[in-house]
Amino acid sequence: MNIGKYFLPDGLFFIIVMWLSSRLLIAIAMLLIAPLFPAPSNSVAATFSWDVFYAWDSDWYEKIMTSGYDFSSEVKEIHTVAFFPLFPLLSRIVMFIGFSPKVAAILVNNSAFLATLIVLYRWAQEHYGTSTARWITATLAWCPYSLYGTVIYTEGLFLLCTTSALRAFDKKQYIWAGFWGALSTATRLPGVALIPAFLFVSWKECRGIKAYIASLSVGLGISLYSLYCQIKFGDALAFIHAQKAWRGDAVGFAWQGWWQMLMQITIGYTNFKAGYIKDPLHPLLLLIIIGSACLLWRFRLYLGMVKFRNGVCFLWLLLWLLAGDELLKIPLVFGGIYLLWLSRAKIPLVTVVYGFSSLALILNTGITASAERYAYGIVSLSMAFGLLLARYPRWGYPIMYFFGILMLTFSIRFARDLWVA
């Protein structure tokens, strides 16, 4: 008899295993493996400490937790007001128990991510049954960008708020939908994508005045933060103006950034930077991989499904080693759009509209930095991809192994203050 399954409610044992095993891999990579590497020239050496969970945006959240917000009209400087208040506020509350800022933030993010998996599993189970719910939960837990549900970032909390809001609206629990939606916009600006999703479904399904009130209540979080900025800094849109230090005046679709990524995949960074084929090895290897894939497809019936699947996985691994992380960003964003469209009849309408609204925000920021991380924060994509894996589970297992490899490498890089997403 499985003792864990005996004492835990149905499904909770699986959720905890998914959460704990994926978080354990991250912890081992960051605390035990990363310190074995020498310090990179442009970064710091990883150590066996809480510091490995702290990099990039983490610094700004710690400043908010310890010193509060700052802002000035000098857009050349980065100001903490660009970061929304719910995550540092909850972390500050945990600090009162006696934890340090870093430990408090880690506890908030990881607890929220575990709660997200529970909410998502229950929601998926209600619609599709236990087997599919497990694939959807595993997809969210083992996606390599779930690293940001463990380190000092807002992904865990944002996913909890948006997933809970979507589930509540889907179940016509409008008070909870408005509550969780407001918390979403108090966590991150992309939470506003819930508003058009709720409004559209309210109109499409003729849900009545309560649904419209819940839809507009989502904006309460960002409205209160805007009021705070007006009172403290005299600028209700200070959190938007502060973003100019990162993106300048960039807005709209970042054609140049996406084109550069495509060129880096096809001809290689060295050739793209030079403006001509300076190093023919990259495009040559790419042609060999593509040719091998064509042959593999041509003789798939002769080889059999097992050999064909193993061959595809091997070629994909080679392609990733050749092209780098740009190979992940483009399929995640643009492939996510296609997958969401294919799944539009299988997942709740509010989830579909929210997914497209969120992807539209990502594609119109004027930049491509962190696009893959923001896409991971759209729970609609995990639901759609989990449905796909549930339909083709024999492809799902090697994909999960590949996710594990990526999670391991991403964790080591983050622990060394090297850019991930």
Side-chain angles (χ1 to χ4, degrees):
M1 180 175 61
N2 191 311
I3 298 178
K5 291 184 179 180
Y6 180 78
F7 284 105
L8 294 176
D10 177 47
L12 188 57
F13 177 78
F14 176 82
I15 297 167
I16 291 177
V17 168
M18 289 294 100
W19 176 80
L20 190 59
S21 58
S22 58
R23 299 315 95 184
L24 186 60
L25 177 63
I26 292 171
I28 291 173
M30 300 181 82
L31 292 169
L32 299 180
I33 300 178
L36 300 178
F37 291 86
S41 58
N42 59 338
S43 188
V44 298
T47 58
F48 186 84
S49 68
W50 296 112
D51 291 340
V52 295
F53 299 95
Y54 177 95
W56 304 99
D57 289 357
S58 308
D59 180 54
W60 301 104
Y61 287 115
E62 185 182 32
K63 287 181 179 178
I64 297 170
M65 283 183 273
T66 56
S67 305
Y69 280 107
D70 68 84
F71 176 71
S72 74
S73 57
E74 179 56 62
V75 298
K76 293 182 180 179
E77 299 178 7
I78 299 176
H79 302 286
T80 54
V81 75
F83 298 89
F84 279 47
L86 186 59
F87 178 68
L89 176 61
L90 293 177
S91 301
R92 179 68 181 176
I93 293 173
V94 176
M95 286 173 59
F96 288 136
I97 303 175
F99 293 106
S100 67
K102 292 178 182 177
V103 175
I106 292 170
L107 286 174
V108 169
N109 199 24
N110 280 271
S111 300
F113 187 66
L114 173 59
T116 301
L117 297 179
I118 295 173
V119 173
L120 181 61
Y121 181 91
R122 298 301 184 196
W123 188 20
Q125 189 179 45
E126 292 165 359
H127 279 278
Y128 313 110
T130 299
S131 179
T132 302
R134 289 184 172 186
W135 277 108
I136 292 174
T137 304
T139 297
L140 189 67
W142 279 95
C143 178
Y145 297 105
S146 71
L147 162 69
Y148 289 95
T150 289
V151 298
I152 303 177
Y153 267 68
T154 61
E155 262 62 26
L157 182 61
F158 184 72
L159 279 167
L160 172 61
C161 295
T162 52
T163 305
S164 299
L166 289 166
R167 184 191 182 213
F169 196 87
D170 180 47
K171 294 169 67 66
K172 299 182 180 180
Q173 299 171 347
Y174 297 122
I175 294 177
W176 284 112
F179 171 77
W180 285 109
L183 293 184
S184 299
T185 58
T187 304
R188 278 198 346 214
L189 182 60
V192 298
L194 289 169
I195 299 176
F198 287 1
L199 287 174
F200 179 82
V201 174
S202 299
W203 166 77
K204 182 71 174 178
E205 299 181 352
C206 302
R207 290 205 176 189
I209 189 64
K210 291 183 179 179
Y212 285 100
I213 294 174
S215 305
L216 298 177
S217 298
V218 172
L220 186 60
I222 194 172
S223 298
L224 290 176
Y225 186 44
S226 181
L227 178 62
Y228 167 83
C229 291
Q230 178 63 42
I231 295 173
K232 186 171 180 64
F233 305 115
D235 185 353
L237 299 178
F239 53 89
I240 293 179
H241 297 153
Q243 291 284 344
K244 292 184 178 180
W246 279 281
R247 67 186 73 236
D249 295 320
V251 68
F253 186 75
W255 292 98
Q256 185 175 358
W258 292 108
W259 176 253
Q260 179 177 334
M261 276 189 283
L262 183 60
M263 290 297 98
Q264 287 181 221
I265 293 173
T266 54
I267 65 174
Y269 178 77
T270 301
N271 296 323
F272 174 80
K273 187 176 181 181
Y276 63 95
I277 304 300
K278 182 179 180 180
D279 178 15
L281 184 60
H282 184 106
L284 178 61
L285 290 175
L286 181 63
L287 288 175
I288 292 174
I289 293 174
I290 294 175
S292 300
C294 292
L295 290 173
L296 192 63
W297 176 260
R298 174 67 177 80
F299 295 103
R300 67 188 185 282
L301 297 179
Y302 175 77
L303 293 172
M305 184 52 66
V306 174
K307 291 182 179 179
F308 171 72
R309 186 166 51 247
N310 292 339
V312 170
C313 295
F314 178 70
L315 290 178
W316 175 260
L317 186 62
L318 291 180
L319 187 59
W320 169 63
L321 293 173
L322 176 67
D325 291 347
E326 283 74 14
L327 184 66
L328 307 175
K329 183 179 292 190
I330 291 180
L332 185 56
V333 176
F334 295 98
I337 295 174
Y338 179 67
L339 182 60
L340 197 57
W341 175 256
L342 288 180
S343 307
R344 66 191 184 278
K346 301 175 183 177
I347 61 180
L349 179 60
V350 67
T351 313
V352 175
V353 181
Y354 167 71
F356 282 124
S357 300
S358 299
L359 287 166
L361 283 177
I362 293 174
L363 293 174
N364 285 279
T365 57
I367 59 175
T368 59
S370 300
E372 65 272 51
R373 177 166 61 85
Y374 295 142
Y376 169 73
I378 306 172
V379 70
S380 313
L381 299 184
S382 293
M383 184 173 285
F385 193 56
L387 281 171
L388 182 66
L389 297 185
R391 185 177 179 184
Y392 303 103
R394 293 191 177 183
W395 287 98
Y397 293 111
I399 288 174
M400 288 297 162
Y401 289 134
F402 180 62
F403 277 1
I405 294 172
L406 291 177
M407 186 180 289
L408 184 70
T409 58
F410 285 2
S411 300
I412 293 172
R413 281 161 51 183
F414 188 94
R416 304 173 72 210
D417 277 9
L418 297 174
W419 180 255
V420 177

